[in-house]
Amino acid sequence: QVQLVESGGGLVQAGGSLRLSCAASGLTFSTYAMGWFRQAPGKEREFVAAIAWNAGNTYYADSVKGRFTISRDNAKNTVYLQMNSLKPEDTAVYYCAARRFTTATTVSEYGYWGQGTQVTVSS
């Protein structure tokens, strides 16, 4: 059973930082590309960042480029999202996702999802 568990969300003031973690189990983590998505109330789930199986390539949505950094530690079966210079519009539930081998940037291309962690940025 594949399981992805996000943590690290919370309430932060605009301009602040948070570091999200996603712990994976039930899969050979080093062979999976990983992604972060977010969904605000009443909105569609949107791509945030992704990282290749070997961390050789990363991808970011334009809205977070330069502020967010995705990374992974294959020895710990964990992917991270460092979020800096947070804005109120970053408020959403953040989801971790996994897919085998090829990195992707759309919801439909990922087969495994975590339960999400809430990030709220106050102004």
Side-chain angles (χ1 to χ4, degrees):
Q1 169 90 322
V2 174
Q3 187 174 30
L4 305 175
V5 180
E6 302 95 334
S7 62
L11 176 64
V12 65
Q13 289 184 304
S17 298
L18 284 173
R19 186 175 181 86
L20 306 183
S21 298
C22 172
S25 61
L27 76 172
T28 304
F29 184 74
S30 61
T31 68
Y32 282 75
M34 304 295 297
W36 286 97
F37 294 77
R38 66 188 183 188
Q39 187 167 20
K43 306 293 184 182
E44 296 293 317
R45 192 169 299 185
E46 66 175 4
F47 170 74
V48 176
I51 188 166
W53 66 272
N54 64 349
N57 295 98
T58 57
Y59 306 86
Y60 297 94
D62 288 342
S63 59
V64 307
K65 199 169 298 180
R67 300 188 297 120
F68 291 10
T69 302
I70 188 170
S71 61
R72 67 190 295 160
D73 186 340
N74 287 351
K76 296 182 177 180
N77 285 5
T78 302
V79 64
Y80 305 94
L81 185 68
Q82 178 66 47
M83 305 185 294
N84 298 327
S85 301
L86 283 162
K87 305 173 181 179
E89 51 262 46
D90 294 320
T91 295
V93 176
Y94 282 70
Y95 296 91
C96 176
R99 75 184 309 274
R100 195 84 184 275
F101 295 128
T102 307
T103 314
T105 59
T106 66
V107 169
S108 63
E109 292 174 296
Y110 285 83
Y112 302 103
W113 295 86
Q115 83 290 343
T117 186
Q118 177 71 47
V119 172
T120 302
V121 184
S122 63
S123 59

